[in-house]
Amino acid sequence: MRIDILTLFPESLGDVLSDSILGRAQDRGIIRIEAHQIRDYTASKQCQVDDYPYGGGRGAIMQADPLYRCWEAVCDEAGGPVHTVYMSPCGKTFRQADAIRLSKMENLVLVCGHYEGIDQRFIDECVDEEISLGDFVLTGGEIAAMAVTDAVCRMVPGVLADPECFQEESHFNGLLEYPQYSRPAVWHGREVPEILLSGNHQKVAQWRRLQALRRTRDRRPDMFQKLDLSSKQDKKLLALLEGEENGESGKTENLGTGK
């Protein structure tokens, strides 16, 4: 998979996207991440990439032509169809499902806006979708592009050692991840739940599922409402959760609380 990032600050992306897991994946040729300086494609002798907005208003707007020239060069280099995403606070909120979907693209182009935004004509002509990290505004699109790149690349086969590395993570299956513990067994007087030390893999799996359900219900009721909990196992776990709400804590004692 190839990801090209169009930005005014390519140097800000280097360390984050070339170290650790993503760096090793690039070394193995599984993914390729390139940052492109938009200023290199301006026809202006002053390397100008922005101008005042028509209709008045504060700030400046990134011009369509430098963006287009940069995008066109990237498309030619990619040598195949590209999917272009503009990182914008006006876009739809990025979800794990989007990371999985975009990881199937052969060539992905991420456009980082700056100033007060970019010329709408470039968006209309070249952008396939707009994506936002949430209901807030950043100074530029670089942080959002790095976040999307990281989330997408993790889903590319071979980047992580095994699918199990992400299949139980928060949001992958509609749940928040269960609590995790490591050595020592007692830290600052806080003990690891006994069931995790039992060696009973079936009960550990049940405990983790219960904790994921509880955490999702308590922290993200919007996600919890969308879950399909019709299986026999989930119905039993839901009964345990309902027992907790009714003060019947003994019902969940053998599976721990994990709160």
Side-chain angles (χ1 to χ4, degrees):
M1 180 185 192
R2 173 180 173 137
I3 298 180
D4 291 280
I5 304 174
L6 280 53
T7 171
L8 295 176
F9 303 96
E11 65 281 356
S12 67
L13 307 175
D15 291 342
V16 174
L17 300 179
S18 61
D19 287 343
S20 189
I21 293 173
L22 298 192
R24 292 193 293 271
Q26 290 192 76
D27 291 340
R28 299 199 306 270
I30 299 173
I31 58 175
R32 179 179 175 183
I33 305 171
E34 299 284 349
H36 305 268
Q37 172 57 265
I38 298 169
R39 290 189 188 278
D40 292 343
Y41 297 88
T42 179
S44 167
K45 292 181 180 180
Q46 294 77 30
C47 294
Q48 183 178 351
V49 295
D50 65 290
D51 210 329
Y52 64 84
Y54 280 120
R58 297 180 61 84
I61 305 297
M62 289 181 68
Q63 296 170 302
D65 198 56
L67 280 166
Y68 179 78
R69 289 171 180 265
C70 185
W71 176 84
E72 187 177 40
V74 166
C75 291
D76 289 343
E77 189 176 336
V82 303
H83 186 80
T84 303
V85 176
Y86 171 41
M87 309 310 304
S88 165
C90 296
K92 68 177 182 180
T93 303
F94 186 66
R95 305 291 186 191
Q96 183 64 31
D98 296 309
I100 297 171
R101 172 176 58 84
L102 293 175
S103 71
K104 297 178 172 64
M105 305 288 181
E106 185 175 346
N107 298 297
L108 184 63
V109 176
L110 304 181
V111 181
C112 301
H114 212 68
Y115 309 119
E116 296 301 314
I118 70 177
D119 194 306
Q120 181 65 37
R121 291 169 294 184
F122 173 81
I123 299 174
D124 294 340
E125 183 160 339
C126 304
V127 171
D128 295 300
E129 63 177 306
E130 298 181 49
I131 283 179
S132 169
L133 290 189
D135 297 335
F136 54 90
V137 179
L138 298 168
T139 304
E142 285 73 24
I143 292 175
M146 286 189 285
V148 168
T149 298
D150 188 279
V152 168
C153 287
R154 296 177 79 257
M155 297 295 100
V156 175
V159 172
L160 298 182
D162 191 281
E164 289 185 4
C165 293
F166 55 76
Q167 286 177 349
E168 294 191 8
E169 291 179 331
S170 294
H171 302 288
F172 184 83
N173 57 4
L175 287 168
L176 299 182
E177 189 176 8
Y178 48 79
Q180 298 273 24
Y181 299 86
S182 185
R183 291 178 176 81
V186 180
W187 177 80
H188 288 198
R190 299 174 182 271
E191 299 182 3
V192 172
E194 185 177 351
I195 194 169
L196 297 180
L197 308 176
S198 69
N200 187 323
H201 298 298
Q202 182 178 0
K203 284 196 172 183
V204 168
Q206 290 177 344
W207 180 88
R208 286 175 168 171
R209 179 74 176 177
L210 178 66
Q211 306 315 313
L213 289 171
R214 176 189 288 118
R215 180 174 280 186
T216 307
R217 178 200 64 182
D218 294 346
R219 300 185 183 183
R220 291 293 302 274
D222 57 318
M223 290 173 57
F224 189 79
Q225 292 175 1
K226 297 177 183 178
L227 293 172
D228 179 3
L229 302 175
S230 59
S231 70
K232 188 175 181 180
Q233 177 192 8
D234 282 339
K235 287 181 178 179
K236 289 182 178 179
L237 295 178
L238 285 175
L240 292 177
L241 290 177
E242 291 174 1
E244 284 182 357
E245 292 182 342
N246 295 328
E248 302 171 19
S249 58
K251 287 188 176 184
T252 58
E253 190 175 46
N254 65 328
L255 290 180
T257 62
K259 290 184 178 179

